[in-house]
Amino acid sequence: MNTEILGVIFSYLLTLVIAIPLGIYIARMFRGDKTWSDFMAPIERLIFRFCRIDPKREMNWKQHLFALLTINALWLIYAFFGFLFQGHLPLNPDGNPNQTPDLAFNSAISFLVNCNLQDYSGETGATYFTQHFVVMFLQFVSAATGIAALFILFKAFRDKVTDKLGNFWDFLVKSITRILLPLSVIMAVILAFNGTPTSYKGKDTFISLQGDTVHVSRGPAAAMIAIKHLGTNGGGWFGANSAHPLENPNYLTNVVEIAAQVIIPVALIFALGFYLNKRKFAYVIFGVMTIGMLLLLIPTMQAEMGGNPAIAKMGVSQATGAMEGKEVRFGPAATGYWSIMTTIISTGSINSMHDSAMPVSGFMMMMGMMINCFYGGCGVGILNFYIFIVIAVFISGLMVGRTPEFLGRKIEAREMKIASIIALLHPFIILVGTALSSYVLVHMPNADWAVKPSTWLNNPGYHGFSEMLYQYTSCAANNGSGFEGLGDNNIFWNVSAGFVLILGRFLPIIGPVAIAGLLANKKYIPESAGTLKSDTATFGVMVFAVIVIVAALSFFPSLALGPIAEHFSLK
């Protein structure tokens, strides 16, 4: 067990060793300083010339959002028809069929919004063409969209009074060419040399040790697996995701993959400090997020390494911990670490079956997605955290009897209303979705649908409720992992989850960008004795308290009906 814990500590320290210099590089690159990646400039100019874009044209926050939303609408249409007609497109050696309209609707939205929820199995539900030119394409551009939106925020913070917030297309393209693409190439090479397939051939056939004929899917998987983690996407080339031995062959690739999904979100925190020249502010944000992560991680690892009490009552030894649904090559400690990091980061990839996790682990994973701002996805983690900063600053101002201000701008009613709506939206769409599905399951179990509601759940009682709650939580948090005891590939789940995916992605981007744009136009006010300084421990405690009160406690009743009740039922 000590060796397993040391492996987790090493994985996290490796992440920091990479993330800190990466954050410095990202800040310098977006500031326009000279960097090693300047050799990509001719390619970027070619892209801009072909698309007739002037990357030097400054945009205000409304123009940024218009560009972001319109291009994402075009990508959605492209992806929908790609999945809908994939069976007729090239690069389909296994003869996989078209997706149904409801599944194509869900899949297109899911990959567009950086969620990568898959209501299909990767081997049979997608072709090499859609894996490459739809899935991987969206994995790059969705991650770049989040980073671009974040740097609109950074630009608003840095300049004292302005409506010139950079160029969205410049941020988007450079996020791909100078961050995501180089890192993906390095990671794909590591995976390929460790056994992850890179072939365009169809299924291979071999005879197992038991004498069975086995057909094993393969394909050019290494490249997709690299960007799925680096872009905090999470969709699996194979149905079992990173629990699959070809997608995650050994402990080395496990360390590489878990580090890959954390480095950019953490690097962007440090990039904030270097870009604004406010390093202490970045350290405070990093500290709050890390404390939140540890409060979720430590109970999870304890629960998984401690084993299942229900199995212990049967007299079964669990020397290696709770191993149901886990890979022996990773063990419960590394699995617990992955489960928490992949849910707070909003990657959603898995190296174990979350449906088999201990109730405490399920609680912590859902809580990480419900809070949705401890590190978070590429760009959007800090955007979500910013909403809680606005609320914390506003409350602090009321406590001392003065107009609240943040980084030299007064936060007034308009900004607070936007922040409140965004903060309440997240629990609203999760709880409404869960309530609707629970109502249908109880009152319409035998409805004359293609898939009857009575067949949705493989597990009754508390765990079955957790499966439905987890699904909507994962969608709203743009995560994509699931309690896969839920039968979700049907019209009800594909469509209802699709709408939650859209709302959970774009409104939390629109809100912070709008607030930042509004504040950037206000008169700059120097700090005074009554200002709550953003680089102090007091500020960090205040923000953490707001996160706990606003985000965590909103979900306690629903969690009490699911993983909490299940936990006490095992005692």
Side-chain angles (χ1 to χ4, degrees), residues 103-352:
L103 179 58
F105 170 80
N106 182 277
S107 300
I109 294 174
S110 179
F111 287 102
L112 176 79
V113 303
N114 201 246
C115 181
N116 291 30
L117 180 79
Q118 292 172 288
D119 286 354
Y120 64 88
S121 180
E123 298 97 326
T124 59
T127 66
Y128 292 177
F129 182 91
T130 47
Q131 293 274 38
H132 264 325
F133 298 105
V134 176
V135 171
M136 284 178 60
F137 169 75
L138 291 178
Q139 287 177 332
F140 274 101
V141 297
S142 64
T145 296
I147 297 172
L150 178 63
F151 269 88
I152 301 169
L153 201 75
F154 286 5
K155 193 77 164 54
F157 288 165
R158 191 182 68 173
D159 300 334
K160 289 189 176 181
V161 181
T162 184
D163 62 352
K164 297 179 180 179
L165 302 177
N167 186 283
F168 172 77
W169 306 112
D170 188 48
F171 293 154
L172 180 76
V173 171
K174 286 182 177 178
S175 295
I176 296 172
T177 58
R178 303 196 182 203
I179 302 174
L180 297 171
L181 190 59
L183 290 174
S184 294
V185 170
I186 295 170
M187 183 176 172
V189 170
I190 295 173
L191 293 176
F193 276 94
N194 278 274
T196 299
T198 56
S199 169
Y200 280 90
K201 295 180 180 180
K203 293 179 180 178
D204 199 4
T205 302
F206 72 95
I207 306 299
S208 72
L209 293 176
Q210 296 176 324
D212 300 325
T213 300
V214 181
H215 302 284
V216 179
S217 296
R218 44 186 174 175
M224 186 266 209
I225 296 163
I227 186 56
K228 90 167 188 180
H229 285 118
L230 287 163
T232 63
N233 296 283
W237 183 279
F238 301 98
N241 208 284
S242 287
H244 196 287
L246 295 182
E247 193 156 325
N248 189 6
N250 52 49
Y251 198 88
L252 171 62
T253 59
N254 192 71
V255 172
V256 170
E257 291 184 21
I258 188 61
Q261 58 189 288
V262 185
I263 55 173
I264 293 180
V266 173
L268 289 172
I269 301 171
F270 293 108
L272 167 64
F274 289 103
Y275 189 81
L276 303 181
N277 198 26
K278 293 182 178 293
R279 299 184 189 182
K280 289 184 179 180
F281 176 46
Y283 297 154
V284 170
I285 293 176
F286 176 74
V288 172
M289 291 183 176
T290 302
I291 291 171
M293 179 271 290
L294 291 173
L295 291 175
L296 299 172
L297 174 63
I298 293 172
T300 298
M301 290 180 58
Q302 288 179 331
E304 298 302 332
M305 290 189 295
N308 190 324
I311 294 177
K313 288 180 181 178
M314 300 167 61
V316 177
S317 174
Q318 300 177 81
T320 56
M323 288 302 296
E324 179 190 337
K326 296 178 181 63
E327 297 296 306
V328 175
R329 65 188 188 277
F330 304 140
T335 299
Y337 177 63
W338 183 298
S339 299
I340 291 301
M341 299 309 285
T342 200
T343 43
I344 67 170
I345 292 293
S346 85
T347 305
S349 67
I350 60 169
N351 72 346
S352 67

Side-chain angles (χ1 to χ4, degrees), residues 466-530:
S466 293
E467 290 174 351
M468 296 188 292
L469 177 63
Y470 193 107
Q471 185 78 351
Y472 287 113
T473 303
S474 180
C475 292
N478 302 134
N479 187 268
S481 62
F483 271 19
E484 293 307 332
L486 179 69
D488 48 20
N489 187 11
N490 55 70
I491 293 176
F492 177 89
W493 285 100
N494 284 333
V495 174
S496 64
F499 285 112
V500 172
L501 286 164
I502 290 178
L503 294 173
R505 168 66 168 183
F506 290 110
L507 291 181
I509 289 177
I510 293 170
V513 170
I515 293 172
L518 293 170
L519 292 179
N521 273 315
K522 293 187 177 184
K523 181 181 178 181
Y524 182 81
I525 304 170
E527 288 186 352
S528 63

Side-chain angles (χ1 to χ4, degrees), residues 380-404:
V380 295
I382 299 178
L383 289 176
N384 291 331
F385 194 87
Y386 178 57
I387 292 297
F388 293 109
I389 288 178
V390 171
I391 296 173
V393 170
F394 188 83
I395 293 173
S396 300
L398 296 179
M399 291 171 65
V400 297
R402 58 173 290 160
T403 303

Side-chain angles (χ1 to χ4, degrees), residues 383-395 398 404 411-429 507-508 510-512 514-515 518 546 549-551 554:
L383 289 176
N384 291 331
F385 194 87
Y386 178 57
I387 292 297
F388 293 109
I389 288 178
V390 171
I391 296 173
V393 170
F394 188 83
I395 293 173
L398 296 179
I411 296 176
E412 297 173 306
R414 183 167 49 173
E415 294 81 31
M416 188 58 192
K417 288 176 183 177
I418 296 173
S420 300
I421 290 171
I422 300 303
L424 295 175
L425 169 75
H426 189 60
F428 178 79
I429 58 178
L507 291 181
I510 293 170
I515 293 172
L518 293 170
V546 168
I549 294 170
V550 175
S554 300

